[in-house]
Each structure stands twice: as C-alpha cells, then as structure tokens.
Amino acid sequence: MTFARLSLILLHVVLASVPVMSAAKEGNTPLIPRKVLFGNPQRAGARISPDGKYLSYLAPVSGVLNVWVAPVDKPSDAQPVTQDRERGIRSHQWAYDGKHILYSQDAKGDENWHVYATNLATKETRDLTPLENIQAQIESVNEDTPDVILVGINERNPQLHDIFRIKLATGERELVQENPGFAGFVLDNADQVRFAISMTQTGGQLVLEPDAKSDMGWKPFLEISNVDAMTTGLAGFDKSNESVYFMDSRDRNTGALFEWNLKTGAKKLIAEDPHSDVGGILVHPTKKTIQAVSFTYDRERWQVLDPVMGEHLAVLKKLEHGDIMVTSRTLDDRFATIAFLMDDGPVKYYLYDLEHRTARFLFSNRDDLGQYSLAKMHSRIIESRDKMKLVSYLTLPVKSDPDGDGVPNKPLPLVLSVHGGPWARDSWGFDSEHQWLADRGYAVLSVNFRGSTGFGKDFVNAANGEWSGKMHDDLLDSVQWAIDNKIADAKKVAIMGGSYGGYATLVGLTFTPDLFACGVDIVGPSSLVTLMENVPPYWIPVMPMMKDRVGDWTTEEGKQNLLSRSPLTKVDEIRRPLLIGQGANDPRVKQVEADQIVDAMKSKSIPVTYVLYPDEGHGFARPENRMSFNAVTEAFLAKHLGGTYEPVGEDFQGSKLQVPAGAEQVPGLHEALKAIQTREP
C-alpha cells in the first residue's frame, strides 16, 4: 500500500421537452449545455503500453465509458476492448505483459471494488476477484513478473486486506501475505513485503518490519507521531531495494522527500519546499531514480533533479500553457503520454518521443468545449482571522471580468464550493463545476480551509477538533473577503459541496443561518456520531486517526461533543432553502445521514428538497445522474440567487433519480416528475 493511499483515508425516464425554464445569458449568448460539462468525455486517460506498441484510452460505447486500444502508429484504428454497460470505467492501466488492460469496478457505488483484466487478443474480461462482499485493490504491477499482479482482498476479514498473487491468464490466486491487523503494507521493487503500517491509539503511525524471531513475526521500525502522521511516510524503494524514499515532516513543517539508506541509516534530502508538501514524483520506469518532484502551493511547480528530464519538460512547456502530467511511459523510456491541464479548455493529450524530443497531438478530452467562451481560474491567497493563509480559487463569468484580472465589474451572486475529504485540496485547472456556475452568472470560490492537505503539518493539524469550528470560520472569512473586495453580493451567497463539503453546507445553514441564501448538500453527514458509528469495516484500522482529528464517539462525553458540532442537533436554526442529494449505496456517508435530517426538518415543517439515487454511492458516477442532479441544482440556485439556468431537456433521460421530499420547492421539478410518471408504461 502506498503512503498516499494510506493517508486516506428513476425511474427510467425520457424527458425531451418538459422545460423547467428557458434561459440564456445576457446578450443572448447560449448557455454551455450540461452534457458538455458533465457528460462523458469524448476521449480521456491516454496510456501507452509498456512495450510501446499500443495506445489506450477511455471513450464511450453506447453512452458508457470503456477502454479503447489502437496501434500506436494508427490511433484512428482504435477499437473498444471492454464491455462495461452500466457505470463506466473511470481509470485503467496496462499490465507489463502488454497483453492485458487492468481496471477496477464496483456495483452501484458500493465501493466493493473488484479487479478486472481484459485480454486484448480475445477481448475477454476476467474478474480476478470473483468473490462475494469483498473489496479488492491492486497492490503491485511489476515489470519483472509481467504475467501476475498483487492484489489486496478483504475476504477473510472485512476489516483487513490480505495480499494475493494472481495470474492474469487464469485468475489463479496464491496467498502472499496474511494481514494480522495492519492498515497496509509497503512492498519493494521485488514485490517483497518490507514494512507494515499500523495506527497507534493516539492517531500516529507505527511502521513495522518482518522479524522471524518475534512471536508476532514483526518488530517496530519507526513510530511517527500524530503530529506528523499525515505528512510523513514511506514512498517506495530505489532500484537496489536498499534505500527507501521517504516523505518526512519531522523537525520541519512541510513534508520533504528524502532517500534513506536502510543499511547505513544515512538520509539524504532530495527535494523540499517551504510552503507545500511533496506532490508528484517522476521516477525512471526501470532505474527507479527520481527525476523530478512537484510541489503545489497555488500552482504546481517542478523541482528537476535529472538534467535530461529538465530538458524534456522545457520542450513540453512550449507546446501548451497548462500544467504537465505524465500519464504513462514505456519500459525503454522511449515514449510517454502527456496530458496538459488547462483552466479554460479541455485536457490535451500528446505522445512524446523522448529520443527525438518531438510530440504528436493525440486528442483533447472534449472537442465540443471549443465553441464556448470559458472562464479563467484565478488563484487567491486569503488570510483568515487568525492569520492562516488560505489558498483559494476564484472563477468569474466571462462578461463580468472584461479585463481578465479576476475583479468583476460589479458584485455578483457567489457560490462557495467546499471540497470533500476534508483531507484533500482544491487545485488550479479546468473545473466543470466552476465553469458551469460561472456560465450561469455566478462567481465561484473554492477555499483550501485548514485541514486541506499539501500545505504542511501545521495547516492540516490546525483542523483537529475544529469541524464546525475554525474550519468553518475559514469559509466565513473567505466569504467576507469576497464581499469586502466587491466580488460577492452579500445577500446572494450560496454554499455547496460534497462529502465534507456537504457537511460544511449543513453547518452553514444551521450554525450561521443568516449568512447563506441557500445550500446544496451532496452526500454530507448530518451527525458526526452516526457518521463514525457506521464506517465501512475496512476503515477500522485507521479509525484512531479519526478519533484524534474529528472526535471520540466511544465515550458519552465524546459523543456529546460530536453532537454539539452536528447539524442534526440544530435543525431548528435552518431558515434558508436546502437541497440534498444522496446515493443510496454510499458506504462512507450512509443514506441515514440524509434521511435523518430530512425527517427532522419535515417534522418541524421546515422545507427541504431531497433527491435520492438508488444506483449511486458517495457521489454520482453515472453521467445521467450527474446531469439530472445538476438540472435540479440549477433551478434551485436560480430561484434563490437569480442566475440563469438551462431547461431540463433530456437531462433526466436514463437517470434513476427519486425525489422523496420537496419537489415543489424547485421551480418546475414537480411538473417534470409528474410528466415523467404519465409517460411510464
């Protein structure tokens, strides 16, 4: 298990002509259709096979994303090789045999992932983990053993993933490492289990190494305190397997990258940044040497360690103005696929020839974006009331910012978009939600509040115990900044987000009920007690971290503290309109979180609109469901903020949305649902 993974943790409807509202922007400029912003990309995720013979990418088949493969010199000959017909494949990778495509898929959002291998010659897809009620995760794909992969499976104990070696051709499984109670393992380049990771009772990390003399078979190697646990950890091995790459924030604030020789104990600093933790790492595909390290404060910046890689990056920077992402490389390091991430345009993919230093354009993920005027995203550093620096991103409607300097010609309705996690972050780049809301006439602000990752341990630790406290203050201070700088109309500010962002929305409407004009909560917890009591079983090994950072749900005093920070206990305070979206199969924030606050509001005759998806989990993966929920959201925001919105059109088609409460609260929604019901056979 990598350090990044360890850190955390309808109705079938056809509605072609029932308008909610017909609208266009000022000057009769047409709105950007939701299907352009939230539908399937035309092509995405370009990868080159390890032998350099084939190019793969994701593209729709009958409206569902699947993997397509073509000879690298004939991309136009691409053919689909997978046959997903429901949720769509969201990512994929090559096995090192060059004969199989690997991907993971769950069922209706339950996050019980299975690992699949597709044979390119036969186009047969095999479930490598054909077991009931399990979650599987790829642990290693190794060039030295190209016909097998290592997979973690929690069949024996739902809380723990044992590691198996699985043959791609047959699916035959062999146990490599039984898990006696660890959060995960660290493998070297020979696929040997070198370390195990466990959580201490205080929320720190305990790194252990195998020890045949110990009764447990393991002995402590390193203990990392809770202060450094989210910014310190093992990150892989060098070619010799004698040195480990190590992100370390001990005795400093930000996580820097070190090389640690396990034989001599010597540590060498590789890369550091005073403002941000290690981000991306470019590693040579076979030599395992680190060639460049990225750090992202407001924008991504690369520190180049290998001069040759520096020359390659200089060539690539001349192609496009966006941030560079290397999505795959051949084993001989002759070719690589490159993605350029823009803020005001689609992702562009190139095939780069490292020997000749030439690039061939492959495709963009959305050609249809080219016909619309897209907004720029501006990075802003906002200071909180206690002097924290909040890296934030602002997008404005194109016509409101004629100078392109991120200052509108008049205060605008504002949507505060709060990211999930909370141990995640917002970054610069193309954001469909920002473009959508700006196109509808709103300023959009995303804030990296304390607890967001990538800004050092002081920043992430400042959120401990501060759910609904200082974390919420950061959001309030950001709104005030937007008002003071004449960006936002103080009477027209909405709060919106998913997961933790959904919780922040509910906090906004209960703890500060007069500030926001309305809120949109997507899969957000309403009670921190029921959230903690209903986590997936495979979260149990890392729950000491949750107890340290969120609160203690195991004692009566701790429960009362969590309840005092739970929107469910303050339902009486809600005075502004609320829209809730929930997936029925969400394993992280279960449906009870939405049900209980909706029931509480209904019992007190407080209006609420509740949209439920029986085929979704923690967020809306199917584009039909994304577009249907956003159709409802558009109408809801327009009613309360005054922006424009697109008619429903066909955006309910194929979705399975249900509206258990409050359809009449959103303009046109009740009528649209009634029209659907009359059309059902």
Side-chain angles (χ1 to χ4, degrees):
M1 176 176 284
T2 65
F3 169 68
R5 274 169 54 195
L6 184 63
S7 292
L8 284 176
I9 79 153
L10 199 165
L11 302 131
H12 178 74
V13 300
V14 176
L15 187 60
S17 60
V18 179
V20 175
M21 173 181 176
S22 179
K25 290 180 287 187
E26 184 179 353
N28 296 318
T29 304
L31 297 174
I32 304 174
R34 284 183 295 270
K35 66 180 180 181
V36 172
L37 293 169
F38 300 107
N40 282 322
Q42 291 154 317
R43 288 158 296 189
R47 305 282 188 272
I48 192 168
S49 61
D51 58 12
K53 294 180 179 179
Y54 297 100
L55 181 73
S56 65
Y57 57 85
L58 300 175
V61 176
S62 300
V64 180
L65 283 179
N66 276 276
V67 181
W68 294 57
V69 175
V72 72
D73 55 349
K74 293 183 179 180
S76 60
D77 289 352
Q79 296 291 327
V81 297
T82 60
Q83 302 87 35
D84 192 285
R85 294 182 174 86
E86 187 174 351
R87 294 186 65 73
I89 298 170
R90 282 163 274 178
S91 64
H92 74 288
Q93 66 184 103
W94 283 88
Y96 278 106
D97 66 356
K99 301 175 182 178
H100 290 87
I101 292 286
L102 306 174
Y103 67 93
S104 299
Q105 186 60 283
D106 69 346
K108 297 183 178 180
D110 64 5
E111 297 188 15
N112 285 332
W113 303 101
H114 285 221
V115 177
Y116 295 87
T118 298
N119 185 302
L120 298 187
T122 65
K123 296 186 180 179
E124 175 190 3
T125 295
R126 178 188 299 275
D127 184 352
L128 298 177
T129 53
L131 305 165
E132 295 294 327
N133 301 314
I134 59 98
Q135 189 200 60
Q137 54 195 27
I138 295 176
E139 297 283 353
S140 176
V141 180
N142 195 318
E143 66 267 25
D144 293 330
T145 53
D147 58 339
V148 301
I149 62 173
L150 298 189
V151 177
I153 306 174
N154 66 342
E155 179 189 25
R156 180 183 58 85
N157 183 334
Q159 297 182 14
L160 306 171
H161 287 77
D162 301 322
I163 299 180
F164 292 83
R165 181 178 291 108
I166 302 181
K167 291 184 178 180
L168 297 175
T170 65
E172 180 183 347
R173 288 195 308 278
E174 174 191 1
L175 180 65
V176 172
Q177 177 68 60
E178 186 173 287
N179 188 340
F182 300 132
F185 298 98
V186 178
L187 310 176
D188 65 16
N189 295 310
D191 279 348
Q192 298 299 305
V193 176
R194 298 289 295 275
F195 297 105
I197 310 295
S198 180
M199 303 297 296
T200 68
Q201 290 304 305
T202 56
Q205 284 187 44
L206 180 62
V207 182
L208 302 102
E209 59 182 340
D211 180 15
K213 298 179 182 180
S214 168
D215 293 339
M216 293 290 295
W218 299 85
K219 66 178 180 180
F221 171 75
L222 173 70
E223 184 167 346
I224 303 167
S225 75
N226 58 339
V227 173
D228 292 286
M230 294 195 73
T231 46
T232 299
L234 305 175
F237 285 81
D238 74 345
K239 181 68 172 179
S240 70
N241 289 323
E242 294 181 356
S243 291
V244 67
Y245 297 122
F246 187 63
M247 180 169 125
D248 196 351
S249 65
R250 297 171 302 165
D251 300 320
R252 54 186 298 127
N253 178 35
T254 57
L257 190 64
F258 291 82
E259 183 178 345
W260 186 356
N261 188 300
L262 299 176
K263 285 190 172 183
T264 67
K267 296 176 186 176
K268 180 177 68 174
L269 177 65
I270 296 176
E272 64 178 335
D273 184 273
H275 303 295
S276 52
D277 303 318
V278 171
I281 302 175
L282 284 180
V283 181
H284 189 280
T286 55
K287 297 178 182 178
K288 307 303 180 185
T289 53
I290 294 181
Q291 299 174 299
V293 180
S294 73
F295 296 89
T296 302
Y297 186 62
D298 56 341
R299 289 286 301 273
E300 183 181 59
R301 297 171 179 85
W302 285 95
Q303 286 189 21
V304 176
L305 305 174
D306 180 344
V308 175
M309 178 54 66
E311 293 170 5
H312 291 312
L313 291 174
V315 171
L316 293 171
K317 286 178 181 178
K318 295 178 182 179
L319 296 176
E320 302 284 354
H321 72 272
D323 288 350
I324 297 169
M325 177 184 293
V326 180
T327 63
S328 65
R329 293 163 75 171
T330 57
L331 272 175
D332 63 7
D333 210 25
R334 170 71 190 279
F335 294 100
T337 50
I338 308 295
F340 287 90
L341 310 180
M342 323 283 187
D343 63 337
D344 58 351
V347 179
K348 295 183 179 180
Y349 293 92
Y350 284 79
L351 181 65
Y352 181 61
D353 184 329
L354 283 84
E355 180 179 348
H356 297 99
R357 301 187 182 184
T358 57
R360 172 160 57 96
F361 176 74
L362 295 173
F363 50 77
S364 68
N365 70 329
R366 297 225 62 122
D367 293 333
D368 48 5
L369 282 174
Q371 60 186 295
Y372 301 100
S373 296
L374 300 174
K376 299 291 293 182
M377 177 180 279
H378 304 275
S379 59
R380 295 289 183 263
I381 311 300
I382 300 171
E383 190 171 271
S384 71
R385 65 190 66 181
D386 59 352
K387 309 303 181 183
M388 284 281 186
K389 303 296 184 182
L390 311 177
V391 176
S392 305
Y393 300 94
L394 174 69
T395 303
L396 301 174
V398 173
K399 288 191 175 180
S400 74
D401 183 19
D403 297 330
D405 57 1
V407 179
N409 46 28
K410 63 178 180 179
L412 298 166
L414 173 75
V415 177
L416 178 67
S417 177
V418 186
H419 71 68
W423 303 293
R425 65 160 295 163
D426 285 310
S427 298
W428 179 92
F430 185 85
D431 187 305
S432 294
E433 182 182 280
H434 271 237
Q435 293 292 341
W436 166 53
L437 295 171
D439 187 67
R440 275 39 172 181
Y442 310 117
V444 193
L445 181 63
S446 292
V447 180
N448 284 306
F449 47 88
R450 71 193 68 203
S452 301
T453 51
F455 304 100
K457 68 184 182 187
D458 293 346
F459 193 81
V460 74
N461 291 334
N464 291 357
E466 294 295 342
W467 288 44
S468 82
K470 292 180 180 178
M471 296 168 77
H472 189 58
D473 288 345
D474 289 346
L475 300 177
L476 302 182
D477 294 346
S478 301
V479 170
Q480 191 60 51
W481 170 87
I483 293 170
D484 292 344
N485 285 276
K486 302 188 184 308
I487 293 167
D489 180 340
K491 296 181 179 180
K492 294 183 178 182
V493 178
I495 183 170
M496 173 176 170
S499 193
Y500 177 86
Y503 165 81
T505 296
L506 297 177
V507 168
L509 268 61
T510 52
F511 285 69
T512 50
D514 295 320
L515 177 61
F516 298 102
C518 60
V520 181
D521 155 35
I522 306 166
V523 299
S526 59
S527 166
L528 296 183
V529 173
T530 51
L531 173 71
M532 297 302 179
E533 291 178 338
N534 291 284
V535 298
Y538 43 84
W539 279 27
I540 299 301
V542 298
M543 289 308 286
M545 185 204 73
M546 299 292 283
K547 186 178 292 187
D548 175 50
R549 296 185 180 276
V550 184
D552 188 353
W553 64 96
T554 64
T555 68
E556 188 58 34
E557 181 182 1
K559 281 186 178 180
Q560 292 305 312
N561 178 268
L562 289 174
L563 287 173
S564 73
R565 294 187 275 121
S566 296
L568 183 62
T569 64
K570 296 182 177 294
V571 166
D572 286 341
E573 299 297 323
I574 297 177
R575 295 195 280 275
R576 300 295 168 83
L578 174 61
L579 169 63
I580 294 176
Q582 178 68 40
N585 305 309
D586 191 338
R588 308 186 206 181
V589 179
K590 290 185 168 58
Q591 185 181 331
V592 65
E593 297 297 327
D595 288 349
Q596 62 193 5
I597 195 166
V598 169
D599 289 344
M601 293 177 69
K602 289 169 65 177
S603 71
K604 299 177 183 296
S605 300
I606 301 173
V608 60
T609 301
Y610 180 21
V611 181
L612 178 67
Y613 292 90
D615 59 342
E616 292 288 4
H618 197 62
F620 309 141
R622 295 184 62 232
E624 297 89 345
N625 291 334
R626 287 198 302 273
M627 288 191 291
S628 69
F629 185 75
N630 288 341
V632 176
T633 301
E634 275 197 39
F636 176 82
L637 291 175
K639 176 181 179 181
H640 302 295
L641 296 185
T644 58
Y645 61 103
E646 180 188 10
V648 169
E650 298 181 354
D651 283 0
F652 279 7
Q653 183 174 340
S655 176
K656 295 184 179 180
L657 86 163
Q658 301 170 359
V659 187
E664 69 282 357
Q665 301 297 322
V666 178
L669 178 57
H670 180 75
E671 293 80 6
L673 293 172
K674 186 175 181 180
I676 292 167
Q677 293 165 0
T678 62
R679 294 181 185 199
E680 288 185 314

